[in-house]
Amino acid sequence: MSSQAPSFYLIDEEEHHHGPGASTALGFWIYLMSDALIFATLFATYGVLSTSYAGGPAPHQIFELPLVAINTGMLLLSSITFGMAAIETEAGRLRATQGWLAVTALFGAAFVGIELYEFATLIAEGATPQRSAFLSGFFALVGTHGLHVLCGLVWIGVTLVQIGQRGLTLDNRRRIMCLGMFWHLLDVVWIGVFTFVYLLGVLR
Amino acid sequence: MSDGHSGAAPHASRKGYLIGFALSVVLTAVPFWLVMTGVLGSVQGTAAAIVALAFVQIMVHTLFFLHVNAKSEGGWVLLTLIFTAVIVAIVVSGSLWIMYHLNSNMMPMTDMQ
């Protein structure tokens, strides 16, 4: 009886061969690609509006490149520390994973903090989102990215609680893998932001 | 979970992350240095250089941090990435192209204010 197993057991076995995280990884990757499309529309909007100053400030008058460079460094450092967390996760070392995740969160929090400081300075100078189409596009694009980083920070916090309670289980490893893809994609988007918004803006 | 077979996360090495990080630091520092010092002289040349460096850095991050390769998920990761890149290129370049021409063909508004 058991030798004539129904065919869906065979299919099930085939699925398990690829590991339980396999389909999740592809599904999450497709979500990330759709997120990239959101940023593409925001980049396109900013690109179209980037010279519509309406008599307000131009990029080279308000952007502080040293501040942006520090911010870029924070995000880059958080990427490599997340890489270390991923390696420790694969090696099954819980303490080291928690440590690297905490360091990643610190760099991420520094990034969000510096960005909020930059926004507060701009708004205090009168460069508010409602001042010109250029500034609307700027705050929409950079603000959406910052919001994503903030979501990533919440996610890291939740992950730390989860692995603190249950350790590096198969489910938690899969979650850390997805969080890693999310975090690294935000760094890729930031490359576009500092190049096309800040550096090209100051050059113009 | 990840012993040999093509599972979810490709086996990532410490060395791979460090190489990617070193390349990223250089590819970030150089464009900032070019713009802040203006060593190239021409604005057009600097703009072309930093856009080229940005594309190289995006490739570095995709390979070393996101671990995208032709084999992950039976090629679906790479295929969806290429599809997204095409859509992004169409959305961004198409918007800029059309809106630039619309702006050029508008009646000048400055005289009427």
Side-chain angles (χ1 to χ4, degrees), chain A residues 51 54-55, chain B residues 103 106-113:
Chain A
T51 51
Chain B
N103 265 338
M106 286 286 277
M107 288 205 321
M109 295 290 281
T110 41
D111 300 339
M112 293 155 77
Q113 280 169 354

Side-chain angles (χ1 to χ4, degrees), chain A residues 73-98:
Chain A
M74 290 299 143
L75 212 55
L76 208 51
L77 282 168
S78 80
S79 254
I80 183 70
T81 56
F82 200 105
M84 295 299 124
I87 288 169
E88 299 299 347
T89 304
E90 255 181 71
R93 287 189 285 266
L94 178 64
R95 283 273 157 229
T97 305
Q98 287 171 321

